[in-house]
Each structure stands twice: as structure tokens, then as C-alpha cells.
Amino acid sequence: ETQSAMALEAALDLMRRMPPGQIQEDLGDVLAIVPDLVEDLLSAVDPPLKEARDPVSNKDYLLCDYNRDGDSYRSPWSNQYDPPLDDGIVPTDELRKLEITANEAFDQYREQYYEGGVSSAYFWENDGGFACCIVIKKDGTGASGGTWNSIHVVEVKVNDKEKQATYTLVTTIMLALKSANPEVGSAGLAGNLTRREEKRAAYTDNVSHLSNIGDMIEKMENRMRESMSEVYFGKTKEIVDSIKSSTSLKAARDKEAGQKNLIAEMMKRQGK
């Protein structure tokens, strides 16, 4: 047991050091070395989201650890597993109704903010309440594109007497960008960011939970989008500018000479 825990810790430490843009390939390589850790690693590491088509509803949905049972994945649209699974885990009738409403709501949210892509919502029972996972994926197009993956896991602790609930949100965003130009070559940028937030709010019924959860996710995504823009793009520009100036060397020398001439002229006037 101790050796298994040490192997898992070492595998997770290795995954944290690998380039985010090739996490899927690296995860497969690690699992080939330690196949006994398949379940632990798949639940601890967030690989890029994959899409599947529900043959019943003819709608796309996303595959993640929260709708997986063995090698099968449950569609949020039809509530059926693919490949078929007779004893697959499904939400209770009450949570299933909430799951359907959530998928419709976040489908509109995705269209409003992302103008495309795929989203899915999965619900399950949890001690003291319930939990859910909201996942969104958007792929760029063309030679210069990329992929945005956002994974929101929410744990809801309910107090029926006070009609208050505690919402704990953990959000992971994985961003991969690529640019290809025949004149300057190709470049890539990839990274991920995880943030956690807890909020206590009132609720009236199950649907009001969705309003509270949606508000948290919307604000969290906006904050993290700004943070990633500042960290990745701002820092990248700063590094590039330190390597190569955006202005020509002649222009920089002319500017420096002009400053020196201005200082010299001011000193002459002060001397008079």
C-alpha cells in the first residue's frame, strides 16, 4: 500500500512537470508504466476534453471522469452509456431533472460566451447534498487556432431548515494556442490554471441552485480569463520584448541621440 501511494505521488509529480499541451500523450505513457494506477491517475489528472455523439439524441457531449463508468461514458442528453452498460451509475430522478435543466441552461451560456463549442453537465449524489461537473470545450479553426477546456466541479452542502447552501467550486482551465505562418514559422503556447471558491447563498428550490452555481461559474471564468491573459500573454510579450525590441536599432539610437541633444541644450541655457 505504501509503495502504491509513493508510485501515485511520483506519477502525479511527473505529470505536473510535463508540458500541458501534450498531457494526453504523457498520461498514456505513464499509465503504460504503472497500469495499476489507472483509476487513481484518471481521477486525479484532467486530460483535455474529448467529444462524442449521442446516437439517441444525435447531440454532442463531452467525455470526462465524471460521466465515466469503466470504459463507458454516459450521455447527459439520453442518460445512456456508450458502450452500453446495464448497471451503470445514473443520477436519481430528482437530480436527473436538475441535470437536464442544467444542460439546457449551460448550452445557452456556452453559445452566448463562446459562440460554438460543446458543453455538458453531470450530476450525482453527495453527502449532505449533491455535486455536479460543468465542462465546456471550444476549438479554434485554421492554422492559427487552439483549444479552450474549462472544468467546473461544484459540491453543494444543503441546509433544508435554513434554506441555505454552501457551494464549493473548483475550476480548472486548460488553454492551448498555436500559430503557424509560412514567413515566421510556427509557435505554441499552453498552460492550465486551477482556482477554488466557496460561497454560502439562499435557495428556494432545486432550480435556484442552478442560478447560484451559474453565477459563480460565470464570475470565475471571467476572472480566470483575465488572469490567464495577463500571465501568459503579458509575460510572453515581456520576454519577447526583452529579447528583441519592437523598434529598429537605428530608431532607438536616434531617440537616444535626441535625448542627449535636448539635455545638452538645456544645460547650455542654464549656464547662461
Side-chain angles (χ1 to χ4, degrees):
E1 184 178 351
T2 303
Q3 288 183 343
S4 178
M6 291 176 62
L8 177 60
E9 184 178 349
L12 291 174
D13 185 59
L14 178 62
M15 290 302 303
R16 283 191 289 267
R17 298 171 187 271
M18 303 306 288
Q22 58 185 57
I23 188 172
Q24 188 69 50
E25 295 83 354
D26 294 333
L27 182 59
D29 292 340
V30 172
L31 290 176
I33 299 172
V34 283
D36 294 341
L37 299 179
V38 170
E39 290 295 328
D40 292 327
L41 279 174
L42 288 179
S43 61
V45 177
D46 291 318
L49 298 168
K50 292 184 177 181
E51 300 176 29
R53 169 75 61 151
D54 183 348
V56 178
S57 65
N58 202 32
K59 290 183 177 181
D60 292 328
Y61 65 100
L62 295 173
L63 311 182
C64 65
D65 191 58
Y66 299 96
N67 69 322
R68 180 176 66 87
D69 192 340
D71 295 326
S72 297
Y73 291 88
R74 183 175 65 88
S75 166
W77 304 112
S78 63
N79 202 30
Q80 296 182 13
Y81 277 91
D82 186 22
L85 202 61
D86 294 333
D87 57 348
I89 300 173
V90 295
T92 62
D93 291 342
E94 187 177 9
L95 278 182
R96 175 58 184 158
K97 292 178 182 178
L98 192 60
E99 184 180 76
I100 293 173
T101 304
N103 275 281
E104 294 172 350
F106 280 99
D107 197 47
Q108 296 178 10
Y109 170 88
R110 172 197 52 76
E111 191 60 39
Q112 179 181 351
Y113 276 92
Y114 294 88
E115 297 181 350
V118 182
S119 63
S120 296
Y122 303 105
F123 283 66
W124 64 93
E125 288 184 293
N126 203 27
D127 293 339
F130 66 92
C132 64
C133 176
I134 313 297
V135 283
I136 302 172
K137 179 183 180 182
K138 172 69 183 292
D139 288 328
T141 57
S144 296
T147 302
W148 170 284
N149 291 261
S150 56
I151 304 170
H152 308 276
V153 181
V154 187
E155 184 181 78
V156 183
K157 297 288 186 181
V158 177
N159 188 326
D160 286 326
K161 292 182 179 179
E162 299 180 5
K163 285 296 182 180
Q164 292 277 328
T166 301
Y167 305 87
T168 303
L169 168 65
V170 178
T171 295
T172 298
I173 290 180
M174 294 177 285
L175 178 65
L177 299 174
K178 62 178 181 179
S179 177
N181 188 302
E183 296 180 357
V184 299
S186 60
L189 177 66
N192 58 66
L193 196 63
T194 300
R195 291 289 183 267
R196 181 182 184 277
E197 182 184 7
E198 188 172 293
K199 172 185 176 182
R200 186 172 172 82
Y203 72 94
T204 54
D205 52 21
N206 280 343
V207 176
S208 62
H209 286 306
L210 292 183
S211 177
N212 293 334
I213 292 171
D215 181 64
M216 289 182 72
I217 288 177
E218 181 180 21
K219 291 178 179 177
M220 177 67 85
E221 280 204 341
N222 288 336
R223 287 197 301 268
M224 293 181 70
R225 189 180 295 111
E226 292 175 1
S227 180
M228 295 186 82
S229 177
E230 180 180 346
V231 171
Y232 292 108
F233 303 112
K235 193 63 178 178
T236 301
K237 184 178 184 301
E238 181 182 330
I239 293 172
V240 171
D241 287 345
S242 68
I243 297 173
K244 181 182 183 300
S245 175
S246 57
T247 59
S248 67
L249 183 60
K250 182 179 182 303
R253 286 175 177 173
D254 290 344
K255 182 179 180 180
E256 183 179 359
Q259 291 174 341
K260 288 181 178 180
N261 291 335
L262 180 60
I263 293 174
E265 185 66 27
M266 291 177 64
M267 291 182 67
K268 283 183 182 180
R269 292 183 180 181
Q270 289 178 357
K272 292 180 179 181

